[in-house]
Amino acid sequence: TGLGDDTNNHQLTLKWCDDGPFTCSDAISDGFHYVISQCFAEVIASSQPNIEASDDAMDAKWWSTQEVEEAEFKGTVSLGVLKVLKRSE
């Protein structure tokens, strides 16, 4: 799968994990059935992509494993995020 990156004007590629989704969640409301499947993928690019948050994620950034661990300890990241991150490695 290729993703366009308008900020750097180059092509990104996603390499999907062969194991498929690691979890799914769903919600049924007002005649709609929503299913969200969380999957692991690796971004393949010649350099780290520049990400810019939209209004729904103004603080988006790249995190190191150590930063996630510290944030989880402080309560600013949900418990279990580090476990999922380590699984992806």
Side-chain angles (χ1 to χ4, degrees):
T1 301
L3 298 175
D5 180 359
D6 294 334
T7 59
N8 288 328
N9 204 21
H10 68 274
Q11 192 73 11
L12 302 176
T13 301
L14 290 181
K15 178 182 173 190
W16 296 99
C17 179
D18 293 334
D19 295 337
F22 67 88
T23 190
C24 295
S25 57
D26 69 335
I28 300 172
S29 174
D30 298 326
F32 294 96
H33 184 186
Y34 300 96
V35 177
I36 300 173
S37 299
Q38 294 85 19
C39 302
F40 288 119
E42 177 183 356
V43 176
I44 300 171
S46 57
S47 62
Q48 186 174 22
N50 179 29
I51 59 170
E52 291 185 22
S54 188
D55 62 353
D56 64 339
M58 294 303 293
D59 295 326
K61 66 176 188 170
W62 296 107
W63 292 56
S64 69
T65 304
Q66 183 177 351
E67 289 173 315
V68 173
E69 185 174 12
E70 291 169 1
E72 194 172 282
F73 179 77
K74 292 176 185 175
T76 55
V77 170
S78 299
L79 289 175
V81 171
L82 184 61
K83 182 179 177 181
V84 172
L85 178 62
K86 287 183 176 183
R87 179 180 172 198
S88 72
E89 294 177 333

